[in-house]
Amino acid sequence: MSKRTRLDRFLAKHLQVPRKQVRLVLSASRITVDGDVVREMDYQLHEFHQVALDGQLLRGDKPRYIMMHKPVGVVSATKDDIHPTVLDLLPEEERHGLHIVGRLDLNTSGLVLLTNDSRWSKALMAPDHHVAKEYLVTLQNPLSDDYIQAFRDGMYFGYEGITTLPATLEILSPYQAKVVLVEGKYHQIKRMFGRFRNPVVGLHRSRVGNLVLDSDLPPGQWRHLTSGEIAVP
């Protein structure tokens, strides 16, 4: 089913009856949507409306929002023949219909979000929304103040013909920095530090927008988002 569809089309397909019979069912007040009687043929259903006939649920998928602490060595994918996936870390009953919001590389750890609500994930990850992503980066060589201005200015990558948007870099120790990006180019952080010939040896995402990785979640563990977290991505 598409993200939005007419109620009569859904009922005709689900009940396997002609549209004329659907009209009779609706006019008899036998259909409810989220508990309310609906009689309009062209009523627009979205993907999480609960539809019932004579009190019997025909469709009742609920939106789900999950925060996970992805370990190194787990891929941000729904299926992989070599490595375990983030879905493998969930119980079987939680996996259906989920997609990943903002993937992390195999060797990057930290916050991964999963949901079955495409509207929520699109709002969170749309490039023009410039949602901030925060990372803890561990480097092979010592950092210097030159990095701060270079990240703030943006860097030009000739292969794609792009210049990165301004990023914030805060030096935490000689070999560690906090980096905040508002975009997600391919291997962006590793490539930006590569300009200084300084290999990244550890990368951990701690925040996406206002969603901060729960400090009580050890690697490989997950929990559902609270209603407050869902409302303020």
Side-chain angles (χ1 to χ4, degrees):
M1 196 181 103
S2 61
K3 299 306 179 185
R4 298 191 73 86
T5 190
R6 283 172 54 121
L7 177 59
D8 60 343
R9 289 176 183 163
F10 166 76
L11 292 173
K13 181 176 181 180
H14 191 87
L15 301 175
Q16 296 185 329
V17 297
R19 204 71 74 81
K20 186 180 294 185
Q21 190 171 337
V22 169
R23 187 183 299 276
L24 294 174
V25 171
L26 286 168
S27 62
S29 302
R30 297 174 63 191
I31 297 295
T32 59
V33 178
D34 289 347
D36 298 323
V37 173
V38 175
R39 301 181 183 87
E40 297 83 8
M41 297 275 285
D42 61 352
Y43 185 93
Q44 295 293 307
L45 294 176
H46 67 61
E47 58 186 319
F48 299 120
H49 271 139
Q50 296 190 17
V51 183
L53 169 64
D54 298 332
Q56 297 297 311
L57 202 61
L58 301 180
R59 192 195 70 182
D61 195 15
K62 294 182 178 180
R64 288 172 290 142
Y65 310 89
I66 287 172
M67 168 188 295
M68 178 181 288
H69 186 165
K70 188 189 93 65
V72 170
V74 172
V75 294
S76 295
T78 55
K79 183 184 292 186
D80 190 272
D81 295 331
I82 301 173
H83 303 285
T85 73
V86 290
L87 286 190
D88 292 333
L89 300 179
L90 296 171
E92 187 71 36
E93 63 272 15
E94 286 284 354
R95 300 176 189 176
H96 175 70
L98 293 179
H99 61 269
I100 302 159
V101 188
R103 298 168 185 268
L104 291 178
D105 296 336
L106 177 69
N107 294 317
T108 301
S109 63
L111 176 60
V112 164
L113 301 167
L114 301 103
T115 185
N116 59 347
D117 185 349
S118 59
R119 293 170 299 170
W120 186 81
S121 59
K122 286 178 182 176
L124 187 62
M125 300 308 293
D128 57 342
H129 289 184
H130 293 164
V131 174
K133 277 82 70 177
E134 183 178 282
Y135 297 83
L136 177 65
V137 190
T138 305
L139 287 310
Q140 181 174 297
N141 304 316
L143 293 153
S144 69
D145 290 341
D146 295 341
Y147 288 69
I148 298 172
Q149 190 62 48
F151 273 66
R152 185 183 298 137
D153 290 343
M155 297 183 187
Y156 177 72
F157 291 106
Y159 183 76
E160 299 97 332
I162 59 170
T163 299
T164 62
L165 294 174
T168 301
L169 183 145
E170 178 185 349
I171 297 175
L172 303 177
S173 71
Y175 294 91
Q176 279 198 328
K178 180 171 69 176
V179 173
V180 179
L181 304 176
V182 291
E183 57 185 346
K185 307 296 185 187
Y186 179 70
H187 288 320
Q188 182 172 343
I189 289 179
K190 293 178 181 178
R191 293 171 71 192
M192 292 178 81
F193 281 104
R195 286 293 174 85
F196 292 89
R197 293 180 171 79
N198 196 349
V200 171
V201 297
L203 188 57
H204 177 87
R205 184 164 68 193
S206 54
R207 177 171 64 87
V208 174
N210 292 317
L211 296 170
V212 179
L213 180 62
D214 192 330
S215 59
D216 290 332
L217 278 183
Q221 297 300 304
W222 63 278
R223 68 166 173 81
H224 291 286
L225 296 185
T226 66
S227 57
E229 288 170 330
I230 296 165
V232 287

